[in-house]
Amino acid sequence: MDALLTDIQAIVDPSGLIRGEAVGQRINDWLSGAPCRATAIVRPTDTQQLAAVMRCCHAAGQPVVTQGGMTGLVHGGQAGRDELVISLERMTAVETLDPLDGTLTVQAGAPLEIVQQAAASQGWHFPLDLGARGSCTIGGNISTNAGGNRVIRHGMMRQHVLGLEAVLADGTVISSLNRMLKNNAGYDVKQLFIGSEGTLGIVTRAVLRLQRPTTSENTALLAVPGFEALTSILNGLRQRLGANLTACEVMWQSHYRLLTEELGRHTPPLSADSPYYLLVEAQGIDQQHDEQLFSAALKDFFEAGWVSDAVMAHSGAQRQALWAIREDIEGLIQALRPLFAFDVSLPIGSMPGYVETLECELAAVRPGSRLVVFGHIGDGNLHLSINAGSDDADTRQAVERLVYGPLAALGGSVSAEHGIGLEKRDYLALCRSPEEIALMHTLKQALDPKGLLNRHKVLPFIACSRQEEST
């Protein structure tokens, strides 16, 4: 290891290699805040340095874990004592913006919020958005195929990537920095790396597709008396607002009441006695016209009995205050520690029964448990925050079985937008067929035959074989 690190330091210079006690000052997992346990942290400044580092690691059979903003919730960036961390924190450049084609080329370590700001400064808009925008990186967004708040209109991260560059386990650079919207020449190689969580290659640069910014924005928080009314509102908004509907976020009463009345972290804009709260946002290009459509839709929903109360934002500050209730993950962690956080997807119509059953089963198996729910209802994604009194391994496994078990029969998925990582590895077969998993193994074996990239993650059988070899 010392010889390998000497070679690596010669590539990245002394400031590009962190060793010793300084490694433990970094976190290994965002949710727990546990210290990093890796042997060292390697910080290349460009693709060529990373390729040279990976050639050394490949020759030595040295496993590596890539880390971005460390905002994930499935331990995808967790590194062991015999692993090296590859951090892209020095690869943050926003390189070029093409104002005619509407593309932005960036290094993978660039934070999402910086990319949003860079696009806005040139009169463009990068539509991916999530609560961790200030910390999460473009490379992390790509490797997990991030979703966020605007999927209902703009889609997942996959829809925003035109081309990318990646370094394979042996140091080979795959440069597929396509800038064209249409390119049907052979296999779309970039798709191999989007959503593969760093197990097939390390994304280093990307060409992102931009949009023209909207000029109107209307946001409202609705108190909804029942789930049937909730789905009626969703369908009504889709019909009335069309493509202008940007976000449709649901909060169960458990989430809304906890963060407003119980913790007092936010002034409640509406009373906390409704079973559901819907945060709705629409963006367009004509404020007066769009506001009329938005207000008329809400009025009709009131008259139909689908909405019992509502508040509409009339300023940027009011809009941010409404979103703050939905995005206050720190408040959830504070109130529910030790917290188990889950991210699942399932058919919208199955949501109320699934949540009710889960709540009852948690109470039976772990008396005193607490379940808090919110999600992106427009794309079938629920986030479940659970306090079961303890975070030991037995409790976690018991809770995981309750959360994941019903999803296969419902046609759901154990991961909507956060990936598989370590946490969901053993549940992958609930939402992927044996043939799909076999193909994943084939791809892994072809691109990383030594199993050096983010080992133990995503694929359970490869993880087990590597663990056996290491022991």
Side-chain angles (χ1 to χ4, degrees):
M1 178 64 78
D2 287 341
L4 174 61
L5 292 179
T6 298
D7 291 341
I8 290 175
Q9 182 170 294
I11 296 168
V12 299
D13 69 56
S15 64
L17 184 66
I18 298 176
R19 304 176 66 174
E21 294 182 1
V23 173
Q25 295 173 5
R26 304 292 188 96
I27 62 170
N28 213 16
D29 172 63
W30 174 78
L31 195 58
S32 69
C36 183
R37 299 183 302 161
T39 299
I41 299 173
V42 183
R43 306 189 305 151
T45 59
D46 56 35
T47 302
Q48 288 67 41
Q49 282 192 3
L50 177 57
V53 168
M54 288 311 304
R55 285 193 291 270
C56 291
C57 290
H58 190 262
Q62 175 60 49
V64 303
V65 175
T66 308
Q67 291 185 351
M70 295 299 287
T71 60
L73 297 176
V74 294
H75 309 290
Q78 183 171 309
R81 298 186 187 280
D82 60 342
E83 295 177 311
L84 296 181
V85 163
I86 302 294
S87 171
L88 302 185
E89 64 193 72
R90 297 204 298 175
M91 296 179 60
T92 61
V94 177
E95 297 181 350
T96 58
L97 189 152
D98 187 322
L100 186 58
D101 290 334
T103 64
L104 186 66
T105 303
V106 300
Q107 288 184 316
L112 171 59
E113 190 169 39
I114 297 300
V115 170
Q116 293 172 331
Q117 292 170 353
S121 70
Q122 300 298 315
W124 287 89
H125 173 60
F126 185 63
L128 183 79
D129 191 45
L130 44 146
R133 63 186 69 84
S135 302
C136 66
T137 65
I138 291 299
N141 298 152
I142 291 172
S143 70
T144 60
N145 189 28
N149 304 328
R150 298 170 176 166
V151 169
I152 190 172
R153 176 170 177 174
H154 296 288
M156 304 280 280
M157 185 64 179
R158 191 180 302 279
Q159 278 70 47
H160 309 304
V161 181
L162 292 177
L164 57 75
E165 179 181 80
V167 176
L168 301 185
D170 64 359
T172 299
V173 177
I174 302 297
S175 188
S176 183
L177 291 169
N178 168 70
R179 296 189 301 155
M180 296 172 288
L181 186 59
K182 286 186 173 182
N183 185 350
N184 222 6
Y187 300 156
D188 191 356
V189 174
K190 69 175 182 291
Q191 300 295 348
L192 285 173
F193 305 102
I194 302 175
S196 62
E197 302 183 50
T199 60
L200 301 181
I202 302 173
V203 175
T204 54
R205 297 162 71 207
V207 180
L208 305 177
R209 182 185 181 188
L210 304 179
Q211 305 289 337
R212 280 299 184 185
T214 56
T215 56
S216 75
E217 191 167 60
N218 292 285
T219 306
L221 180 67
L222 316 179
V224 183
F227 198 86
E228 185 176 349
L230 198 70
T231 57
S232 296
I233 294 170
L234 175 61
N235 288 329
L237 289 170
R238 285 169 168 165
Q239 182 177 0
R240 301 280 290 269
L241 305 182
N244 280 12
L245 181 60
T246 306
C248 200
E249 304 285 294
V250 63
M251 293 175 279
W252 263 245
Q253 184 189 70
S254 58
H255 178 100
Y256 182 80
R257 175 170 283 172
L258 173 64
L259 292 171
T260 56
E261 286 192 349
E262 292 188 34
L263 296 181
R265 290 175 63 91
H266 308 276
T267 300
L270 302 171
S271 67
D273 55 2
S274 290
Y276 304 99
Y277 295 84
L278 194 64
L279 182 60
V280 179
E281 189 163 271
Q283 297 176 329
I285 59 172
D286 185 333
Q287 181 63 41
Q288 183 176 358
H289 176 261
D290 294 339
E291 186 173 342
Q292 289 175 349
L293 286 179
F294 192 78
S295 299
L298 298 188
K299 179 181 177 182
D300 288 348
F301 298 161
F302 261 110
E303 293 177 353
W306 301 342
V307 176
S308 57
D309 199 1
V311 60
M312 190 166 172
H314 294 289
S315 68
Q318 291 177 358
R319 175 186 176 274
Q320 290 174 7
L322 295 180
W323 272 102
I325 301 172
R326 155 64 182 82
E327 294 184 333
D328 191 358
I329 306 303
E330 290 184 1
L332 293 179
I333 295 173
Q334 171 187 318
L336 301 177
R337 186 177 280 118
L339 170 68
F340 295 144
F342 297 94
D343 152 52
V344 302
S345 64
L346 65 161
I348 295 172
S350 300
M351 287 181 175
Y354 170 81
V355 171
E356 183 178 349
T357 299
L358 176 59
E359 196 161 33
C360 291
E361 292 182 343
L362 279 170
V365 174
R366 287 290 187 274
S369 295
R370 186 165 187 180
L371 171 64
V372 173
V373 185
F374 69 94
H376 318 284
I377 189 171
D379 49 62
N381 178 189
L382 286 183
H383 294 284
L384 312 167
S385 302
I386 298 174
N387 176 287
S390 171
D391 58 357
D392 62 78
D394 289 342
T395 301
R396 170 173 283 280
Q397 290 179 4
V399 172
E400 286 177 344
R401 286 193 291 269
L402 297 180
V403 170
Y404 297 138
L407 293 173
L410 295 174
S413 172
V414 299
S415 177
E417 58 182 357
H418 288 161
I420 298 298
L422 281 175
E423 185 174 298
K424 304 182 182 185
R425 182 184 64 191
D426 297 335
Y427 299 95
L428 183 63
L430 291 176
C431 55
R432 292 297 187 192
S433 69
E435 294 77 14
E436 287 177 303
I437 293 176
L439 180 56
M440 292 180 195
H441 282 297
T442 299
L443 291 171
K444 177 69 172 177
Q445 181 64 28
L447 296 180
D448 182 18
K450 292 186 177 182
L452 302 181
L453 296 175
N454 228 10
R455 62 178 186 165
H456 306 172
K457 314 288 173 46
V458 182
L459 294 174
F461 301 110
I462 285 181
C464 290
S465 66
R466 291 294 170 190
Q467 284 179 318
E468 290 168 1
E469 290 173 12
S470 67
T471 57

